[in-house]
Amino acid sequence: MKKRILTILTILISAITFACSCDIPKPILEFESAEYVFEGKVISKIYANDSLTYTVTFEISKHYKEGDNPATIEFTFKSEGKYTGELTACDWSVNKDENWLVYADYWKEKLTFGYFCSNSKPLGRRTISKNEQKILDNGNSFKLENYIYQFEYDFNYTKPISDIDSVLKTGKIKDYEKPFTWLKLFVDKNGNLNSVTTHTGYQLKNDSIFNLPTEFEIKLRKPLTEFEKDAIELVKKIPKWEIKKHKKTNIPVPYIRHLSIEYDKEKKEWKYEL
């Protein structure tokens, strides 16, 4: 019996973990995309007549993002599971008298904010870290184009403009000992390939306020193998890449691209995977 209960609990915990698992955006990028970033207190919570939605009003004590700075803002959310009959592991709610830090933006023309996949939080249960406070205090001076990006959701996925298949056909035919490598490519905001190195052969210099890279420097930790040298020279012949842009502002930015390269000894051909 105890084993069965333990199994059920494990399944439930796993379900909760996976159901609400998501990457929280970096605070400065959520700040950049948000319409409003503020601290405020919930002064009212009113349910609709059918109880399926509720509207909360925030009295704002501090605006972080420059803008029209309203004194109050309203949000309408789907009601809790006990009202809708739809209980999920990802239920959350906003309650009267709570103090929140809110990153609010428009979704389907409706001003709203999230919880599980956001830096928005009730300040009674979670706190603003020193690092996040520093970001909030300096967010209006942030310039997207001054930083280097990699996996962030806020940008488009980029591909090479140059014909990569044609380039790989010019690769050397050799009996390489270890014919596989992961490469890091540094592409500038105009889509020009600037640098290529191995996945461990570089160093990033991070900004102390926003915790984003500002410089990409090749710094090899060990000598390159013959295959790595040839792979890097081959990839350098792919000079043009799609421009990476911030989805909301359309601002182009420099970025790091990841590329795996291998040589098939039997077929005597080079392959890649983005």
Side-chain angles (χ1 to χ4, degrees):
M1 184 65 180
K2 288 183 178 179
K3 186 179 291 186
R4 183 180 298 175
I5 293 173
L6 182 60
T7 301
I8 293 172
L9 286 173
T10 301
I11 292 172
L12 288 173
I13 292 170
S14 299
I16 291 171
T17 300
F18 286 110
C20 300
S21 178
C22 59
D23 292 327
I24 297 176
K26 294 180 179 178
I28 188 55
L29 294 180
E30 190 166 14
F31 185 102
E32 181 72 12
S33 296
E35 188 72 19
Y36 299 102
V37 181
F38 65 85
E39 285 183 47
K41 182 177 181 179
V42 182
I43 57 174
S44 73
K45 179 175 182 177
I46 300 173
Y47 286 89
N49 291 333
D50 59 8
S51 297
L52 297 181
T53 63
Y54 64 86
T55 298
V56 291
T57 301
F58 280 89
E59 182 177 65
I60 299 171
S61 56
K62 185 171 185 177
H63 278 283
Y64 286 105
K65 189 157 186 176
E66 292 177 352
D68 53 358
N69 297 346
T72 61
I73 297 181
E74 290 186 351
F75 299 94
T76 298
F77 295 105
K78 183 178 179 180
S79 292
E80 299 87 346
K82 64 181 180 180
Y83 295 108
T84 65
E86 300 175 11
L87 292 168
T88 73
C90 294
D91 278 350
W92 64 280
S93 62
V94 182
N95 299 302
K96 188 178 179 182
D97 294 329
E98 288 181 337
N99 291 297
W100 278 72
L101 169 66
V102 173
Y103 294 75
D105 197 16
Y106 285 96
W107 186 72
K108 294 184 178 180
E109 300 182 353
K110 173 188 173 184
L111 187 66
T112 188
F113 66 91
Y115 174 67
F116 285 109
C117 302
S118 170
N119 289 286
S120 297
K121 47 186 157 280
L123 297 178
R125 282 173 266 166
R126 294 164 63 186
T127 59
I128 303 174
S129 68
K130 290 182 179 179
N131 288 339
E132 186 176 9
Q133 188 63 60
K134 189 161 48 174
I135 289 168
L136 292 169
D137 293 338
N138 292 277
N140 292 294
S141 65
F142 177 70
K143 301 293 183 185
L144 269 166
E145 62 273 26
N146 292 345
Y147 301 89
I148 301 168
Y149 304 90
Q150 297 190 61
F151 305 109
E152 295 82 2
Y153 169 78
D154 313 75
F155 302 87
N156 60 300
Y157 178 84
T158 60
K159 296 181 292 185
I161 294 175
S162 306
D163 188 347
I164 190 169
D165 292 309
S166 295
V167 169
L168 292 185
K169 287 179 181 179
T170 68
K172 295 178 180 179
I173 307 301
K174 293 183 181 179
D175 186 22
Y176 295 106
E177 184 178 349
K178 294 181 179 179
F180 177 85
T181 186
W182 283 97
L183 298 179
K184 300 286 186 178
L185 288 62
F186 177 55
V187 182
D188 69 22
K189 65 180 180 180
N190 297 312
N192 299 311
L193 178 64
N194 278 4
S195 305
V196 184
T197 188
T198 63
H199 72 289
T200 60
Y202 72 103
Q203 180 175 289
L204 294 176
K205 181 179 179 181
N206 276 21
D207 174 86
S208 61
I209 295 177
F210 303 118
N211 196 31
L212 288 172
T214 57
E215 294 180 21
F216 179 95
E217 178 186 0
I218 293 180
K219 193 169 183 179
L220 298 175
R221 299 179 185 177
K222 60 181 180 179
L224 295 174
T225 65
E226 183 182 15
F227 176 75
E228 288 172 334
K229 290 177 183 178
D230 289 347
I232 288 172
E233 289 307 310
L234 196 56
V235 171
K236 284 181 178 178
K237 297 178 183 178
I238 310 168
K240 294 298 294 183
W241 289 71
E242 291 177 342
I243 295 174
K244 194 179 192 76
K245 295 182 179 180
H246 187 248
K247 290 179 180 178
K248 183 169 183 178
T249 64
N250 214 34
I251 292 174
V253 298
Y255 63 96
I256 296 171
R257 196 68 173 83
H258 309 264
L259 183 68
S260 68
I261 294 286
E262 68 175 305
Y263 176 71
D264 188 321
K265 291 184 180 182
E266 292 184 3
K267 295 182 179 180
K268 291 183 169 54
E269 62 182 31
W270 290 73
K271 299 179 181 179
Y272 76 96
E273 186 174 332
L274 292 169

